[in-house]
Amino acid sequence: YRGTPIVEAWEKGGVICLDEVDRGDANTLCCLNSIEQGCLYVPRAADEGGPVAKSDKAIVIATANTYGTGANRTYAGANQLDAAFLDRWRVIEVGYDRDLEVAICGGDSLAKDCVTYLAACRDRADKASIRRPLTTRFARRAANDVRMTGGKFSIHTMKAEAKGWSPTELSTVFV
């Protein structure tokens, strides 16, 4: 048996992050159903295996983009998650933190302009039911493009990051 960081964090304490869990294989995720009871089944050797108790200091977090509903236009690679698996989790929706986004985008006035404009674009996209990701990476790329060219931030800078969008989507979101 070779230990893994997940089993070590489970037994001794630590954070286990199942990033993009809605991209996981349903059969593999089924193996995690026992975590609700505070145990994880781990084969220790050919003749030994069984439940491993969870440390009081262990935390398990799963991230997803689709609430387990499966693929959609925005997240085409997502899988639908089994209801029994979903029932074992508390869903906490996390939005965007503007101060953190500004810091990630460079922390200057250009970063603030990009993030402020992006937030308005998100609002327009939501109102128009346009399902396109407008992520922090989007604003960071736009800010970096302006810095590299020595130009100034404009709607066109942000619009240039929207590759593959229809003309209607562009004109609705980037006003």
Side-chain angles (χ1 to χ4, degrees), residues 52-131:
V52 175
K54 179 180 167 283
S55 164
D56 290 339
K57 296 178 182 176
I59 297 170
V60 182
I61 298 169
T63 67
N65 292 310
T66 66
Y67 301 99
T69 57
N72 59 41
R73 180 176 169 181
T74 306
Y75 302 104
N79 298 313
Q80 184 174 352
L81 297 176
D82 185 86
F85 181 80
L86 290 172
D87 189 48
R88 288 163 165 80
W89 300 90
R90 177 178 295 154
V91 175
I92 301 170
E93 187 169 340
V94 178
Y96 292 96
D97 178 318
R98 287 221 192 151
D99 292 337
L100 179 59
E101 283 189 301
V102 169
I104 289 170
C105 294
D108 56 6
S109 61
L110 171 61
K112 188 173 182 178
D113 290 347
C114 285
V115 169
T116 300
Y117 182 72
L118 183 63
C121 289
R122 286 179 184 138
D123 289 343
R124 287 190 289 275
D126 285 345
K127 285 179 185 169
S129 297
I130 295 174
R131 298 180 57 90

